[in-house]
Amino acid sequence: MFPDSMKAFHTPNLDILGAPIGDYIHCAKFIASKRVEALKLLSRLQDVAVIDPQVAFTLLRVCGSFCRLAHIARSTPPSLSSDPLQIFDMAVKECFATCSALDLTEHAWQQAQLGLRYGGLGLCSLALHACAAYIASISSSGFADVDYQHLKHAVSTFNGLVSTQDTILIGSTVDSPIPQKALSFKIDTEQFRALLDSSSPANKARLLSASASHASSWLSVVPSVELGLHLDPHEFCVGIRWWLGLDFSRGLSCSLCPNTALDLLGHHAVTCKKGGDVVTRHNRLRDVFVDFCHQAHLGVHVEVGSNLTPDGSRSRPADVLVRDWITGMQICCL
């Protein structure tokens, strides 16, 4: 009935289309073999980071972490894949810490695993999102069955990771396809809420700022020296440390304020009014804004004197004055 060239498997364990089918041990061995291949890339990224950590991070986020074994997460039940995938997550953590020269705390790593929209670094956990990937895959296949035990387990695991209002019924996976992105967003939402609840007021303010619209744009751009979208290694590593709320103080005091100890989050370092750094940063932000105005062909003037109104009520000079705004009014900025 079948051609002689067709391979016959006399075992419940086999691999097909790049995915394992069988018991836990077989699936673990298969994932381990794929993990070995992925680790080769992580090792090379650490070599890249010696020269350019921003490039290494971009490659890690885009093609070295979640996506490397996403096919496994979508095709293998999470009850069989979560533990092996957790090992790969730890390898990604070590690679990122090495590339960015960081000693990661658990709180910082939890933030790093969030999506960019939640102030994370987009280094999504395969083990955490395996249930979402598997549910989405089964749901879109057209073969979802409410009595399928692996699907029941995946839905139960997912519902334990999200808020009550975001839980799903197993029947909904049969009715229509559920995008993986939508499910992962619900997981990230709950992870972000838990992270906020466990944070100090200062860290909570930092997380809310990091999750603001466009705040993470500097992390998603393709590094380019020609386009002005590249940071030198020290700047990038300091930026990542600040983004994740890691200790900046190292037990030191401000070199310009000997009696002032540096705080953990580096607030004093960016607000100290001695040494001229605040003025320098202010002027650079002003110049960036002026450049945008020029690109928009707006009439803009820098460091305009006082008496901007006929009655002289606005005596303070404008760092930037935009003339002929949409409403015909002069706009003072900064």
Side-chain angles (χ1 to χ4, degrees):
M1 181 176 179
F2 296 103
D4 295 336
S5 60
M6 181 171 289
K7 188 176 181 180
F9 293 89
H10 302 287
T11 171
N13 299 321
L14 68 150
D15 309 327
I16 184 171
L17 297 177
I21 297 177
D23 57 25
Y24 178 86
I25 295 178
H26 174 73
C27 291
K29 288 182 177 179
F30 181 89
I31 296 174
S33 67
K34 295 297 182 182
R35 188 171 62 240
V36 169
E37 298 175 11
L39 291 178
K40 294 178 182 178
L41 173 61
L42 298 187
S43 177
R44 293 182 179 181
L45 288 180
Q46 294 179 49
D47 295 334
V48 173
V50 175
I51 302 173
D52 197 323
Q54 185 182 9
V55 170
F57 165 75
T58 302
L59 292 174
L60 176 64
R61 184 180 67 83
V62 174
C63 59
S65 52
F66 186 89
C67 63
R68 296 300 295 179
L69 298 180
H71 177 66
I72 299 294
R74 287 181 61 86
S75 59
T76 309
S79 56
L80 302 176
S81 66
S82 291
D83 290 341
L85 292 177
Q86 180 67 42
I87 298 175
F88 181 69
D89 285 342
M90 290 300 99
V92 172
K93 177 183 179 181
E94 291 180 12
C95 178
F96 168 67
T98 301
C99 290
S100 304
L102 299 175
D103 292 323
L104 289 172
T105 63
E106 189 58 33
H107 192 276
W109 179 236
Q110 289 175 3
Q111 180 187 345
Q113 290 182 302
L114 292 173
L116 296 181
R117 72 171 69 189
Y118 279 126
L121 297 178
L123 301 176
C124 300
S125 166
L126 274 162
L128 186 66
H129 290 264
C131 56
Y134 187 72
I135 292 170
S137 177
I138 293 294
S139 174
S140 62
S141 70
F143 294 99
D145 187 340
V146 294
D147 295 323
Y148 184 43
Q149 291 302 315
H150 285 308
L151 181 58
K152 286 183 177 180
H153 178 271
V155 171
S156 176
T157 302
F158 173 82
N159 288 339
L161 295 173
V162 300
S163 62
T164 304
Q165 61 266 29
D166 283 335
T167 57
I168 61 174
L169 299 174
I170 191 169
S172 64
T173 65
V174 179
D175 297 336
S176 59
I178 305 178
Q180 180 180 331
K181 185 176 181 179
L183 295 175
S184 287
F185 175 74
K186 292 181 178 182
I187 293 176
D188 269 359
T189 299
E190 182 61 17
Q191 293 294 310
F192 181 69
R193 185 200 62 77
L195 202 60
L196 282 177
D197 290 345
S198 63
S199 298
S200 65
N203 267 318
K204 186 176 293 186
R206 176 184 58 79
L207 287 169
L208 291 173
S209 297
S211 61
S213 179
H214 304 297
S216 60
S217 296
W218 69 285
L219 294 167
S220 61
V221 298
V222 176
S224 172
V225 176
E226 289 75 11
L227 296 177
L229 301 176
H230 183 268
L231 298 173
D232 71 44
H234 181 69
E235 289 175 337
F236 180 77
C237 291
V238 168
I240 291 291
R241 177 179 289 274
W242 196 10
W243 188 260
L244 296 179
L246 294 171
D247 187 359
F248 263 86
S249 67
R250 301 181 181 178
L252 302 176
S253 297
C254 176
S255 59
L256 301 174
C257 309
N259 297 323
T260 303
L262 294 177
D263 58 284
L264 297 181
L265 297 179
H267 291 161
H268 179 79
V270 296
T271 58
C272 179
K273 295 183 179 179
K274 295 183 178 181
D277 286 346
V278 171
V279 174
T280 299
R281 185 171 64 254
H282 172 275
N283 290 341
R284 288 181 177 177
L285 288 173
R286 176 204 63 196
D287 293 343
V288 169
F289 181 78
V290 169
D291 183 58
F292 285 146
C293 289
H294 286 155
Q295 292 181 40
H297 301 289
L298 294 174
V300 59
H301 301 270
V302 178
E303 302 296 344
V304 178
S306 58
N307 300 322
L308 299 178
T309 57
D311 59 2
S313 59
R314 298 180 184 177
S315 59
R316 183 177 178 180
D319 291 326
V320 178
L321 176 65
V322 181
R323 297 189 183 277
D324 301 325
W325 194 247
I326 297 176
T327 59
M329 300 176 60
Q330 296 180 353
I331 305 297
C332 297
C333 303
L334 301 179

